[in-house]
Amino acid sequence: MKLIAAMSGGVDSAVAAARAVEAGHDVIGVHLALSSNPQKYRSGARGCCTIEDSHDARRAADVIGIPFYIWDMAEEFHDGVVEDFLAEYAAGRTPNPCLRCNEKIKFAAVLDRARAMGFDGVVTGHYARTQISDSGKTLHRAVDHSKDQSYVLSVLTVEQIEGAIFPLGDTTKVDIRKEAEARGLAVAQKPDSHDICFVPSGDNAGWLRDRLGSEVGPIVDQNGVKIGEHKGAYTYTIGQRKGLGLTVPTADGSPRFVLKIEPVSNTVVVGAREDLAVTTMRGERAVWCGPAATDQHQRGFVQVRAHGAALPCSYFYDGNFLTAQLDEPLLGLATGQAMVIYDGDRVVGSATICETA
Amino acid sequence: MVEEALIAMTAQLARLGNPSSLHTHGRATRKTLEDAREVIAKEVGCLPSEVIFTASGTEANNTALKGLYWQGRDKGKHVVVISSIEHHAIVDPAHWLEVHEGAEIIQIPVNADGVIDLKFLTDLVATRGNEIAVISVMHANNETGVIQPIRTVVDIAGEIPVHTDAAQSFKKVPLSFAELGVYAMSLSAHKTGGPLGIGALILRRAVEIPALLHGGGQEREIRSGTLNAPAIVAFAAAAKSKYYDSAKVSALRDSFIAGITSALPEVIVNGLKADRLPGIVNITFPGTQSDTLLLLMDAQNISCSTGSACSAGVHEASHVLLAMGHNEVSAQSSLRFSFGATSTSADVDFAVSVLPDVITRGRAANLS
């Protein structure tokens, strides 16, 4: 196949490209420039689109022996990922930008462009697997569960999965680093990237405050009694305990947690740990990685965080909303996160959490 | 590199001797090097003492622009005039002078064919001539090949020092430092079949400018540093070589233009009406993005170029095409094709045959 390998400058995408070449594909390396004003150097483990990273990607492509180009996706990334991130926080939700990037950039803008240019698909260094079954190509967890990235890929449609190649799904990260070393790739020991790539400082709250303002609002308890103040409700996450700055103690001295964020009144509601308990969640904008779920209740697992546990549940889809009922209550679930349904290690589909109870 | 240059360079690499040394080996290298200087001087129409070797055309540009500015500033002149289509090796040092050294930069606009506006320059010199430290206008543009009227610029400038970046022109079109009448001219060896990493600043004798590099006092104390004898003799060998046949390259270029415009009538050949270098064609393909086209052409083993890339490698709209009146979109839809001494009519035919399909795919990718 003729493939585009998306190369971030990290070890995973470099090995993925090398493996695709070895598998006999005709591969071209592409580095996505996602910032219109990139930093010169990486600071620690943050960010993945500095000039240094693009040089690392180019060097890896040269060592592998494939052509290499840079595609400017800064505008698409800003409109599809950064703006969405801001709008979601402004609406009191907690978004996952990596998911949006896969949905709108890597397997949309890049894949569409690649297909139009005569390529068959896009290779990435994601830790996930695909399998061909009777119902077509399906998406599965990686063998290395600690690195599994199927959660952030759960927004891919069947058609997008058709064009996605994940060569690393069968290997552990430790072995990928060893393989990179053996292949002479200088990025073999480069630190993993964490956090949000477009917030290079790692200070999400400060970054949001710069863009959304820092309007002071009340922190109230469940009875609506004001017990503190905050500088922007959107910098809080459901279930958050630290950094509330509350000086009025609870009667029994137990800690308080963020229960609710009300963007319109700019209010943060706090309460006891047990009030965080969620047994039912509803999600909108469902995407199916295979056949769609139906209104028949089915058994499966739901995952609500990128590296969270798979929670046993039953789920159904009424055509508008995906609902999951947990066997055991979960503490602290933020709206805006993705709820991803698994059937064993197969990704059934996902939706954006809009309601919990 | 042309064969003569390769042979000269290889032979010189095996010879010992720092040309600044006074012993026999040093004198031998010095002799070879001065022979090379004379060869280049003859080819370029200047005196041997006017040749100052540098490590690149970029260094020659920096030395000339900064040196002439500093010299002028000492006499109260703070304006640096450049054209709006200069190479980054002039645009960026000019910007640096503005930010760090108190220069005021004025850019001469160009017309739709990419030729500088001589009326603008005439008016500027008439109104602010006594403030101008240096005027720098490239001899021919690297993206479009459009040749600039340097002799007229010199006439308009009068006493004001004029520098020209002639890296693209040397050996491609007749070029004489003396006839142009400029104060300074930059050359780059690898543009003429010579090695990478060697260039020259041709600087009028008796013009003394402050140096960028200080040290052993080589090259009229304007460019200290041990001279790179192997690269210099190779530069001279390339300069003397008759490998480049301008008429043949021009004919290839014209047949390429004819082929493309007949297959794709909607394309725009930039600078078509102007006097141009033999080997450069710049074409706008409406509805495409040049980086996509480059990838698709590369896959066919055809190397072409987009305007320029920023430090992160992202293709940017060419400032040259923008200056010629293109908007961001059409400037980003343009490719430069270069033809060299070894290009053949089969190369041209092949490029013309694959371009329509590349453009179709490029348009589809642009819409996706």
Side-chain angles (χ1 to χ4, degrees), chain A residues 236-254:
Chain A
Y236 296 85
T237 302
I238 309 285
Q240 181 177 339
R241 175 182 164 185
K242 289 179 181 159
L244 299 179
L246 297 175
T247 51
V248 185
T250 51
D252 61 356
S254 60

Side-chain angles (χ1 to χ4, degrees), chain A residues 223-300:
Chain A
N223 301 319
V225 177
K226 183 177 162 183
I227 51 171
E229 276 187 346
H230 65 76
K231 289 180 181 171
Y234 49 79
T235 59
Y236 296 85
T237 302
I238 309 285
Q240 181 177 339
R241 175 182 164 185
K242 289 179 181 159
L244 299 179
L246 297 175
T247 51
V248 185
T250 51
D252 61 356
S254 60
R256 291 191 183 93
F257 297 82
V258 174
L259 299 182
K260 209 167 151 188
I261 294 155
E262 295 171 352
V264 177
S265 61
N266 194 29
T267 301
V268 174
V269 182
V270 297
R273 184 185 173 85
E274 54 269 26
D275 294 319
L276 283 171
V278 165
T279 51
T280 303
M281 68 189 84
R282 287 222 295 172
E284 59 193 357
R285 290 192 283 154
V287 178
W288 304 108
C289 307
T294 64
D295 56 3
Q296 300 294 309
H297 287 240
Q298 295 200 57
R299 293 294 301 167

Side-chain angles (χ1 to χ4, degrees), chain B:
Chain B
M1 252 203 286
V2 297
E3 200 182 352
E4 299 94 308
L6 191 61
I7 292 167
M9 187 159 186
T10 314
Q12 189 60 35
L13 279 168
R15 290 188 198 119
L16 191 68
N18 180 333
S20 300
S21 300
L22 302 178
H23 50 61
T24 307
H25 286 308
R27 286 198 308 275
T29 307
R30 164 65 60 183
K31 155 88 172 55
T32 317
L33 201 147
E34 293 306 326
D35 289 347
R37 193 189 303 277
E38 287 178 10
V39 167
I40 290 169
K42 184 163 172 255
E43 292 297 324
V44 88
C46 70
L47 300 170
S49 64
E50 291 176 324
V51 178
I52 295 171
F53 289 111
T54 61
S56 62
T58 296
E59 188 194 332
N61 278 346
N62 271 264
T63 306
L65 198 75
K66 291 173 182 172
L68 288 168
Y69 169 71
W70 284 324
Q71 189 202 51
R73 191 177 60 177
D74 291 345
K75 299 172 200 150
K77 299 169 196 288
H78 72 288
V79 173
V80 172
V81 179
I82 63 173
S83 83
S84 55
I85 55 166
E86 292 301 306
H87 189 276
H88 276 288
I90 284 293
V91 174
D92 290 14
H95 178 68
W96 184 87
L97 287 172
E98 183 179 33
V99 174
H100 297 280
E101 296 292 302
E104 177 187 346
I105 308 299
I106 296 176
Q107 296 202 358
I108 311 167
V110 296
N111 64 20
D113 281 309
V115 182
I116 57 162
D117 183 342
L118 291 168
K119 165 118 185 7
F120 176 93
L121 183 64
T122 306
D123 293 348
L124 183 67
V125 170
T127 52
R128 301 191 61 184
N130 58 352
E131 297 172 61
I132 301 172
V134 53
I135 298 171
S136 181
V137 177
M138 67 199 333
H139 190 272
N141 184 266
N142 53 308
E143 293 185 32
T144 61
V146 172
I147 296 169
Q148 304 300 321
I150 301 300
R151 180 63 236 183
T152 316
V153 170
V154 170
D155 290 342
I156 294 167
E159 296 298 303
I160 303 167
V162 175
H163 164 258
T164 189
D165 176 354
Q168 294 292 332
S169 302
F170 186 37
K171 301 298 286 179
K172 313 284 168 54
V173 287
L175 185 73
S176 163
F177 182 74
E179 283 172 23
L180 283 176
V182 292
Y183 270 58
M185 181 163 88
S186 301
L187 301 176
S188 174
H190 75 265
K191 296 282 180 192
T192 64
L196 297 166
I198 189 76
L201 172 64
I202 313 300
L203 182 68
R204 253 194 226 181
R205 62 178 289 278
V207 171
E208 295 305 323
I209 56 173
L212 294 182
L213 300 182
H214 302 89
Q218 290 90 342
E219 304 299 271
R220 289 163 56 185
E221 294 195 347
I222 288 167
R223 205 283 186 179
S224 285
T226 301
L227 287 159
N228 183 352
I232 289 168
V233 300
F235 184 6
K240 200 166 59 175
S241 162
K242 304 276 181 238
Y243 78 100
Y244 195 89
D245 181 345
S246 296
K248 181 196 136 195
V249 179
S250 296
L252 287 176
R253 176 199 64 189
D254 292 344
S255 85
F256 178 72
I257 292 173
I260 291 301
T261 48
S262 110
L264 300 161
E266 69 279 16
V267 304
I268 301 157
V269 180
N270 294 301
L272 186 60
K273 282 184 267 173
D275 192 12
R276 283 167 299 137
L277 293 178
I280 296 177
V281 190
N282 191 301
I283 302 180
T284 301
F285 299 95
T288 67
Q289 267 189 315
S290 53
D291 54 348
T292 309
L293 301 185
L294 187 148
L295 188 160
L296 292 166
M297 293 295 279
D298 207 2
Q300 302 282 353
N301 271 325
I302 299 171
S303 300
C304 47
S305 313
T306 61
S308 61
C310 77
S311 49
V314 173
H315 296 284
E316 293 178 322
S318 152
H319 68 285
V320 174
L321 297 180
L322 292 175
M324 289 165 72
H326 277 279
N327 59 34
E328 290 269 344
V329 174
S330 62
Q332 296 254 38
S333 313
S334 307
L335 279 184
R336 174 183 50 174
F337 300 86
S338 300
F339 300 90
T342 56
S343 300
T344 64
S345 58
D347 296 339
V348 168
D349 293 346
F350 181 63
V352 169
S353 73
V354 301
L355 257 165
D357 181 54
V358 164
I359 299 305
T360 305
R361 281 179 191 273
R363 286 200 178 117
N366 199 21
L367 293 173
S368 68

